[in-house]
Amino acid sequence: MPQCAFCGKATTTQEGLKRHIARRPECQRQWALMINDIEADNLNTPDDNLPPVDVDFSHVHPHLDPNPAPSKSCHITIEEVKDEDGTPFSYTGRYFEPQADAGWALHEGETKFERYRRHQEEEVEDRWSPFEDVEEWDLAEWLVKNLGQTRTDEFLKLPITQNHMKLSFHNNHSFLQRVDALPRGPGWSCRKVTVRGNKEDEFGAPLEEEVELWSRDPVECVQELIGNPFFKADMAYSPAKAYADRAGQHRVIDEMWTADWWGETQKALPKGAMIAPIILSSDKTCLSQFRGDKSAWPVYMSIGNIAKAKRRQASARATILIGYLPASKLDCFTPDARSLAGYRLFHHCMALLLQPLIAAGQHGVEMVCADSLVRRVHPILAAYVADFPEQCLISCCKENRCPKCLVGANERGDSLDSPMRDPELMKEILEMCKNGQHPPEFEENGLRAVYKPFWADLPHANIFLAFTPDLLHQLHKGVFKDHLVKWCIDIVGEEEMDARFKAVPHYPGLRHFKKGISTVKQWTGREHKEMQRVFIGLLTGAVPSCVLVVTCSILDFSYYAQLQIHTTEMLEALQTTLDVFHANKDILKELAIREHFNIPKLHQLTHYMTLWLQRQEAVFLRAAYLDWLAQHPLLPAGFDSDSDSESEEMEAASPNTTSSLVTSKEVTHILAKAPAHPHQSVEKIVMAHGTTDFLPALQTFLQKNLPQTTGVVPGIHDCFDVYRQAVIVAPPDRRVGDAPKRWHVRARPEVVASGRRSSCPGHFDMALISDTPRSSGLRTLDDVRVAQVCVIFTLPRQFGTHSRALTYIKWFTPFRLPDPSSRLLQVSRSTCHLRRNAAVIHVDEIMGQSVDTMLRSGNAYEVASDFYFNEFIDGEMFGVSVINSL
């Protein structure tokens, strides 16, 4: 029988032991201290000979099945996965150094879902109530998600609906009565704000304008998120330092709880307190139309406790709309005063919206968390997502200044280590201005006369450190498209740049700018990213080497900034790329392309309808509740749920409440179920696919791999089933994304126009071929070579039962030293006696990284003799080529 090592209490199950330690603060503290001591020993004196032991860090990391039984081992590992290729960075395995004085559970509580389940049990309600059954609930969910109220009423009044569906509601009114009976999220309130302008009416009285502020209590919204069992497997309750190695030498930063901010802020709070990092976002360009001509400015909120992969899922509803700020024209002000009045109105409304966070952040609020345990939660502003103009509005500075630091207005293009803005100092300067004083720092710091910023009283918050990078506007559109591309066009010429984009070989998944880029009128973030994938290869040989270095440094920065996981080495490399840019940027002045680099977006690289809404949320909450209820079913009437042992055993026997995506750790190769071209003759394969040495190469393969078929010699009368492409699915590179990577390697011959059928050019893609067998994804470029895939086929029956598909490839030379300016590796065609070196290999020897070898000249693979290996083709290739070499 499991027994607590700290107080001696015996429990019936291991699950009961976990619940006991989590409920009893003294046992939890003793447990946390023991873990802390073990972890300290582990980091200081690593011993690779001891086996790893799983230890309960569920308060730190969400993806664990905690087991709080004490262990004598000094090894503490989390999600450790052996790296078959010996790469120093473990993609899924991480080691944690927890902060033991945070996120303590006070006692057991009851989540909203659990309360509602108890209510249904007590009232003997059906799980679908107030709807009749699952079919009626499905219809209700569809109506709310897809139809407005008018269309819903029309649908419900159709004769076929009323005569055949036999619904319990017959019009929109009765339908909404049932929707309104569902549990809801935090309620909405409308507050009138009176703005007094500087213009006067005909009687000499100042004009006034009344605007509406729609808001929800942000503390209640935090409770809604933090107590939702839907997020239980993705919720963190305290900070930790994460490492990629057992010795703690390689720091990993991928979630908010693994960064320094959370741990440093925790020190200012009482022991055992839990932080709910508030993430705000707003965008004035996305105004929502209200009644008549009124428009509103939406403000959204999420919390950093929820894993970012879950926060990014729109269907998860991990981001909540908490308010609509008024977006008024403020006609009661004269034109010269209207802009400043708008700034002040924004801060006043934001202060009203966020006012509940002040007391909650200072003293904490007891909240039931997703794991049914109660903690004292301090909601603290941690991040604010906004574009550059809105960042300046929030920080009360002019748009010709940096909203984060005190860099001079004319120094933003220099590599300076400017001090960050200090909230207390900024508040002091603004207060002095309000009192009629004129401190010189007001102008020196580029401030606006907004005397009461909304963030002034928010506890433990530093708004200037809260701004997040705006990758779209600052990197993709700003620095890359609006500046770098323009500079390079000025050097190369628009016609030559278009010609080079047209000459890029086709590559699966890559947009081909067949008309160049000068004719593109509507640019999106996707087009910017597509250009970046080939830009270095395009410029090679067209611009001076120093310009290529400048371009490469900016693209390196962009690729590093987009990673989902960072290590200390990656962050150092990020800074190095910026240093390389500043060291070489003067070449653009020498070429008369730029006179200065005082560019705001360049400097930023250094910091890097309420009722209907409630009804929609009510339907979503019910759907989430039903998913949860499927794992925690209603108890039958008369069942005694007060027994601890019975509830513990039931919980231990229940399946996991959330299902996580299980991703294969191996590379898989997929062909179509049926060949696109069955029974193709050798003559046709040679002619259509350019496989001149098909028969000799196949015979060599058979002798090496199928020696039992030595009596069967392939000849011109044999026929083979031919496939158009192979799809390679590789394990996800967690630094780039959570989903497996799919590459399409094509071997399609040219299709000649015939009748109504139009012509189609041939596509014979490049791929990376492994010299040694690998079961995991590609980690480095060691022991791989580039080859062109010409035909994908399977052996006919006369060669035995060989199930693995084959491919005829044309080799390229091993990688030569990289070009010193572009850093791109170089390859050439591999030949022997003026003939291409070719071979037949297994398709599963392709590592899945289909390669776009950028042309150095010409317009097709067959024209050029020398090629550059494009490491920017996607994030995975950038990781293999660049990051793993750090």
Side-chain angles (χ1 to χ4, degrees):
M1 180 175 293
Q3 185 175 6
C4 178
F6 309 115
C7 69
K9 179 180 177 180
T11 60
T12 57
T13 64
Q14 288 286 348
E15 191 68 25
L17 178 60
K18 289 186 283 185
R19 292 161 63 92
H20 161 74
I21 293 178
R23 281 200 301 259
R24 196 166 188 272
E26 182 59 31
C27 294
Q28 188 186 46
R29 279 195 291 272
Q30 293 291 334
W31 171 253
L33 289 173
M34 182 191 73
I35 295 302
N36 199 34
D37 292 340
I38 293 175
E39 182 66 11
D41 294 340
N42 171 51
L43 293 177
N44 293 330
T45 57
D47 184 357
D48 292 338
N49 295 322
L50 293 177
V53 177
D54 288 334
V55 182
D56 178 21
F57 289 152
S58 60
H59 62 293
V60 175
H61 194 271
H63 302 293
L64 302 179
D65 182 15
N67 179 7
S71 169
K72 297 182 180 179
S73 171
C74 63
H75 281 274
I76 299 165
T77 67
I78 302 298
E79 293 184 322
E80 183 185 9
V81 178
K82 184 177 180 182
D83 184 6
E84 298 182 9
D85 294 334
T87 307
F89 181 83
S90 179
Y91 295 91
T92 55
R94 291 189 296 173
Y95 303 80
F96 285 91
E97 178 185 356
Q99 191 158 330
D101 59 352
W104 292 352
L106 303 177
H107 53 83
E108 193 168 6
E110 197 174 32
T111 66
K112 188 174 183 177
F113 287 0
E114 291 168 334
R115 287 199 308 272
Y116 190 68
R117 179 182 63 177
R118 178 165 52 82
H119 164 77
Q120 287 192 313
E121 291 170 349
E122 293 171 352
E123 299 297 327
V124 196
E125 283 186 358
D126 185 78
R127 64 188 302 179
W128 313 109
S129 176
F131 299 97
E132 294 295 325
D133 50 33
V134 59
E135 293 182 349
E136 190 170 283
W137 157 250
D138 288 340
L139 175 62
E141 187 178 21
W142 180 84
L143 290 173
V144 170
K145 288 182 178 180
N146 297 280
L147 298 185
Q149 298 189 48
T150 302
R151 292 297 180 90
T152 298
D153 197 58
E154 293 174 355
F155 173 81
L156 294 176
K157 290 180 178 179
L158 290 174
I160 191 173
T161 304
Q162 295 189 347
N163 297 333
H164 295 279
M165 300 187 72
K166 307 300 182 183
L167 300 174
S168 62
F169 45 88
H170 306 292
N171 53 40
N172 187 60
H173 176 72
S174 59
F175 169 64
L176 292 181
Q177 284 182 326
R178 283 165 173 74
V179 173
D180 290 340
L182 297 173
R184 296 186 181 184
W188 284 88
S189 63
C190 179
R191 188 177 310 189
K192 304 290 185 180
V193 178
T194 301
V195 181
R196 177 173 296 180
N198 63 348
K199 294 170 66 174
E200 298 178 347
D201 60 16
E202 62 270 21
F203 303 105
L207 292 177
E208 293 183 349
E209 184 174 338
E210 192 176 70
V211 296
E212 294 179 350
L213 169 64
W214 288 86
S215 64
R216 310 163 94 175
D217 189 327
V219 176
E220 293 182 6
C221 292
V222 172
Q223 289 177 313
E224 186 77 15
L225 290 171
I226 216 163
N228 191 337
F230 180 73
F231 301 126
K232 180 179 178 180
D234 300 280
M235 187 77 70
Y237 304 108
S238 65
K241 289 184 178 179
Y243 300 93
D245 61 314
R246 183 179 282 111
Q249 300 297 315
H250 300 280
R251 178 92 178 269
V252 178
I253 302 170
D254 61 344
E255 297 285 356
M256 189 171 285
W257 58 81
T258 64
D260 291 334
W261 175 87
W262 195 331
E264 292 299 318
T265 307
Q266 194 77 47
K267 297 175 183 178
L269 301 179
K271 282 192 174 182
M274 172 185 165
I275 293 178
I278 301 297
I279 303 172
L280 295 178
S281 61
S282 58
D283 188 352
K284 190 176 182 179
T285 61
C286 297
L287 297 180
S288 298
Q289 288 301 125
F290 263 27
R291 298 184 303 274
D293 61 346
K294 292 185 178 181
S295 59
W297 186 343
V299 180
Y300 298 90
M301 188 194 77
S302 187
I303 55 176
N305 310 82
I306 303 173
K308 62 184 180 184
K310 181 64 68 174
R311 288 201 310 269
R312 286 198 303 266
Q313 295 176 8
S315 60
R317 301 291 183 98
T319 298
I320 294 180
L321 178 65
I322 65 168
Y324 281 110
L325 306 181
S328 174
K329 298 178 181 179
L330 296 179
D331 292 329
C332 59
F333 287 90
T334 57
D336 60 326
R338 194 170 294 153
S339 179
L340 180 58
Y343 301 150
R344 291 174 174 174
L345 177 62
F346 168 83
H347 280 271
H348 177 70
C349 291
M350 281 292 291
L352 294 175
L353 175 64
L354 303 180
Q355 193 273 336
L357 293 178
I358 298 175
Q362 290 173 340
H363 309 296
V365 178
E366 288 192 6
M367 297 184 184
V368 180
C369 298
D371 58 357
S372 301
L373 298 177
V374 176
R375 297 175 174 86
R376 180 162 291 276
V377 178
H378 294 250
I380 297 173
L381 178 61
Y384 202 119
V385 183
D387 59 16
F388 179 79
E390 203 161 329
Q391 289 180 7
C392 294
L393 166 64
I394 294 165
S395 62
C396 305
C397 76
K398 299 176 182 178
E399 291 189 15
N400 66 341
R401 305 300 291 266
C402 175
K404 303 174 185 177
C405 74
L406 295 175
V407 65
N410 299 319
E411 298 175 334
R412 289 172 295 177
D414 300 326
S415 181
L416 300 175
D417 188 15
S418 302
M420 298 297 293
R421 293 180 182 269
D422 179 73
E424 296 302 320
L425 179 59
M426 297 300 114
K427 288 189 291 183
E428 181 180 335
I429 296 173
L430 293 172
E431 184 65 25
M432 293 171 66
C433 291
K434 180 181 179 181
N435 296 331
Q437 304 179 44
H438 303 283
E441 294 87 353
F442 182 83
E443 293 296 334
E444 292 173 2
N445 296 340
L447 296 177
R448 295 186 185 275
V450 179
Y451 302 128
K452 188 64 173 177
F454 74 82
W455 40 264
D457 297 326
L458 293 177
H460 312 294
N462 186 333
I463 191 65
F464 307 113
L465 297 179
F467 294 129
T468 60
D470 184 356
L471 295 180
L472 173 61
H473 295 97
Q474 292 175 357
L475 273 180
H476 300 310
K477 181 182 183 300
V479 174
F480 177 73
K481 174 60 174 61
D482 293 346
H483 295 292
L484 180 61
V485 174
K486 183 179 181 301
W487 299 341
C488 293
I489 289 177
D490 290 343
I491 296 173
V492 176
E494 186 177 275
E495 185 177 348
E496 176 65 17
M497 184 67 77
D498 282 343
R500 287 175 173 260
F501 269 103
K502 295 175 185 178
V504 173
H506 286 273
Y507 175 81
L510 174 69
R511 172 171 176 176
H512 184 236
F513 294 90
K514 58 183 179 181
K515 296 182 180 179
I517 61 173
S518 62
T519 59
V520 179
K521 303 300 181 184
Q522 188 69 33
W523 287 96
T524 66
R526 174 155 189 177
E527 276 81 23
H528 302 149
K529 293 178 181 179
E530 295 295 304
M531 290 173 62
Q532 291 174 26
R533 297 174 68 182
V534 298
F535 203 61
I536 290 292
L538 288 178
L539 295 182
T540 304
V543 297
S545 59
C546 285
V547 175
L548 211 54
V549 172
V550 168
T551 304
C552 197
S553 65
I554 291 179
L555 288 185
D556 280 344
F557 189 98
S558 177
Y559 275 67
Y560 275 119
Q562 295 176 70
L563 296 177
Q564 296 187 21
I565 298 177
H566 282 91
T567 64
T568 49
E569 292 81 5
M570 294 178 198
L571 295 177
E572 291 172 0
L574 186 71
Q575 180 60 46
T576 300
T577 63
L578 201 56
D579 294 339
V580 170
F581 168 80
H582 285 294
N584 294 273
K585 66 185 180 185
D586 286 343
I587 182 63
L588 298 173
K589 289 183 179 180
E590 297 173 10
L591 295 173
I593 301 301
R594 288 290 302 181
E595 295 181 359
H596 64 83
F597 292 93
N598 188 29
I599 303 170
K601 292 174 181 176
L602 180 60
H603 171 73
Q604 290 302 310
L605 300 187
T606 60
H607 302 302
Y608 225 57
M609 311 147 30
T610 62
L611 180 58
W612 185 243
L613 287 172
Q614 282 188 296
R615 285 168 172 163
Q616 289 181 312
E617 287 183 347
V619 171
F620 169 77
L621 284 173
R622 171 51 67 93
Y625 168 72
L626 291 173
D627 290 340
W628 175 84
L629 195 62
Q631 305 295 338
H632 303 80
L634 295 171
L635 298 178
F639 185 86
D640 181 9
S641 61
D642 294 332
S643 170
D644 285 342
S645 60
E646 286 181 333
S647 64
E648 289 169 0
E649 291 174 5
M650 174 172 285
E651 184 173 334
S654 299
N656 196 346
T657 58
T658 58
S659 59
S660 58
L661 177 65
V662 179
T663 304
S664 173
K665 301 295 188 298
E666 297 184 352
V667 176
T668 57
H669 298 70
I670 304 172
L671 297 181
K673 293 183 179 180
H677 306 288
H679 309 299
Q680 297 293 298
S681 66
V682 171
E683 180 182 6
K684 192 168 185 178
I685 292 175
V686 171
M687 294 294 295
H689 295 262
T691 56
T692 308
D693 296 319
F694 180 80
L695 288 178
L698 178 58
Q699 186 169 356
T700 302
F701 171 85
L702 294 175
Q703 292 173 353
K704 179 181 177 180
N705 296 274
L706 299 174
Q708 67 274 18
T709 63
T710 52
V712 182
V713 179
I716 59 173
H717 299 294
D718 290 319
C719 293
F720 301 85
D721 290 341
V722 174
Y723 296 80
R724 291 178 178 173
Q725 66 174 356
V727 179
I728 295 91
V729 182
D733 185 336
R734 301 294 181 184
R735 300 166 300 186
V736 179
D738 297 323
K741 180 67 176 180
R742 298 171 67 93
W743 287 275
H744 295 255
V745 180
R746 302 167 300 180
R748 301 179 182 177
E750 178 184 6
V751 176
V752 180
S754 175
R756 295 184 178 181
R757 185 179 64 179
S758 59
S759 62
C760 180
H763 295 292
F764 301 103
D765 289 330
M766 302 291 176
L768 288 178
I769 310 299
S770 175
D771 288 345
T772 57
R774 297 171 187 250
S775 60
S776 61
L778 188 65
R779 300 290 174 81
T780 70
L781 294 179
D782 297 335
D783 302 323
V784 295
R785 286 179 62 181
V786 176
Q788 187 173 19
V789 178
C790 298
V791 63
I792 300 170
F793 64 99
T794 54
L795 291 175
R797 292 184 178 179
Q798 61 263 32
F799 294 96
T801 56
H802 190 68
S803 60
R804 296 165 66 186
L806 308 179
T807 177
Y808 178 96
I809 60 172
K810 295 179 181 178
W811 287 112
F812 282 72
T813 60
F815 291 120
R816 300 196 297 272
L817 291 176
D819 176 77
S821 300
S822 65
R823 202 188 58 229
L824 299 181
L825 296 169
Q826 303 176 70
V827 295
S828 304
R829 289 193 181 87
S830 177
T831 61
C832 180
H833 302 300
L834 302 180
R835 293 176 67 90
R836 292 291 303 274
N837 278 324
V840 171
I841 64 171
H842 288 107
V843 167
D844 53 27
E845 293 179 56
I846 300 176
M847 290 311 300
Q849 312 283 9
S850 184
V851 181
D852 176 24
T853 48
M854 291 304 307
L855 285 178
R856 188 174 177 181
S857 63
N859 57 6
Y861 290 129
E862 288 71 24
V863 175
S865 58
D866 296 311
F867 302 84
Y868 290 102
F869 179 81
N870 186 8
E871 62 193 30
F872 295 98
I873 194 63
D874 54 37
E876 286 78 7
M877 187 56 63
F878 183 79
V880 169
S881 306
V882 181
I883 300 175
N884 288 348
S885 63
L886 294 178

